[in-house]
Amino acid sequence: NAGVMQNPRHLVRRRGQEARLRCSPMKGHSHVYWYRQLPEEGLKFMVYLQKENIIDESGMPKERFSAEFPKEGPSILRIQQVVRGDSAAYFCASSPGTGGAFFGQGTRLTVV
Amino acid sequence: GEDVEQSLFLSVREGDSSVINCTYTDSSSTYLYWYKQEPGAGLQLLTYIFSNMDMKQDQRLTVLLNKKDKHLSLRIADTQTGDSAIYFCAEDNYGQNFVFGPGTRLSVLP
């Protein structure tokens, strides 16, 4: 049973471009969470999704950010028109519902 | 709102015990968790405790939960240099919206 898979591991974008981050949850997990970690800081919750539904997006900026978890395929976190302040590590976690969330290795986004 | 607090730094000597503390505010948390993050890596789930338990032991790790004071601790016995990392305390509410503390950076001195 593979763990949570995130790709790409590293992503470089120029200001104004779009960034697409992918997350494949562990097999059998239907809950997906996205977190952002700024350098030397803790994790900040962004969004919680179940298949085809956004359950809680209270931590996600209203503009430029969107997330989806389709019936088939990975969860996608999309950042449009990236700015330097979007540079961070973005972690995805999946859970079967209780007992803890398991994290991927993260995608490190650098905006130049 | 939910809030989780931890001290930011801890230094111990190799072979000593480490105790990392955490306080939380959400009394409806179902589980409380400890995660470990090594440099450049994701978070590794170390252990978790159900909210109606007060202690859980797993090899060198002991988790203590004081639900009345909303205080959680992680004790690492015989701390090794490989234990140097950032340790995050987290709580959940029936699996919704895990809330993390800021992390405690553990440094193990030879």
Side-chain angles (χ1 to χ4, degrees):
Chain A
N1 187 3
V4 177
M5 304 300 291
Q6 287 188 251
N7 67 82
R9 289 291 307 277
H10 300 274
L11 182 61
V12 179
R13 284 286 177 265
R14 293 189 185 280
R15 278 181 297 170
Q17 291 185 317
E18 179 180 283
R20 289 168 64 96
L21 289 63
R22 293 176 184 77
C23 170
S24 296
M26 288 179 70
K27 190 176 179 182
H29 288 192
S30 58
H31 301 237
V32 165
Y33 308 82
W34 285 93
Y35 290 83
R36 177 163 63 177
Q37 186 177 38
L38 294 168
E40 303 300 315
E41 291 192 16
L43 286 157
K44 298 299 181 189
F45 168 78
M46 297 183 74
V47 62
Y48 162 41
L49 310 105
Q50 294 182 22
K51 283 284 186 183
E52 299 185 277
N53 287 305
I54 296 174
I55 307 301
D56 181 353
E57 57 182 346
S58 59
M60 198 157 67
K62 296 281 187 287
E63 315 231 331
R64 302 188 299 109
F65 286 72
S66 62
E68 62 178 16
F69 187 18
K71 189 175 178 183
E72 302 290 338
S75 175
I76 306 285
L77 178 68
R78 184 183 291 111
I79 311 172
Q80 295 177 303
Q81 298 176 311
V82 295
V83 301
R84 287 229 170 94
D86 296 332
S87 295
Y90 292 83
F91 289 97
C92 168
S94 75
S95 163
T98 58
F102 295 84
F103 280 78
Q105 291 297 302
T107 293
R108 277 152 185 84
L109 172 65
T110 302
V111 179
V112 297
Chain B
E2 302 156 345
D3 198 14
V4 178
E5 296 186 352
Q6 299 177 241
S7 52
L8 297 182
F9 300 97
L10 176 66
S11 291
V12 299
R13 294 216 171 268
E14 195 172 7
D16 287 350
S17 292
S18 309
V19 179
I20 303 171
N21 294 303
C22 168
T23 57
Y24 61 97
T25 57
D26 187 357
S27 58
S28 62
S29 294
T30 312
Y31 291 91
L32 295 124
Y33 307 87
W34 284 104
Y35 285 85
K36 176 183 180 183
Q37 185 181 33
E38 296 184 63
L43 274 73
Q44 174 194 354
L45 178 62
L46 278 181
T47 186
Y48 61 92
I49 187 166
F50 190 49
S51 58
N52 69 353
M53 296 171 61
D54 52 20
M55 186 179 103
K56 180 178 180 180
Q57 186 152 3
D58 184 1
Q59 299 184 333
R60 292 192 297 123
L61 305 178
T62 303
V63 178
L64 295 177
L65 174 60
N66 181 329
K67 200 170 180 182
K68 174 175 166 288
D69 294 338
K70 298 191 184 123
H71 182 265
L72 183 74
S73 68
L74 174 70
R75 179 176 179 271
I76 306 172
D78 187 24
T79 313
Q80 303 297 308
T81 53
D83 295 324
S84 293
I86 303 174
Y87 290 81
F88 291 94
C89 164
E91 61 173 349
D92 76 359
N93 181 7
Y94 299 100
Q96 301 215 19
N97 186 3
F98 293 84
V99 178
F100 286 81
T104 299
R105 188 179 296 272
L106 174 65
S107 299
V108 182
L109 308 173

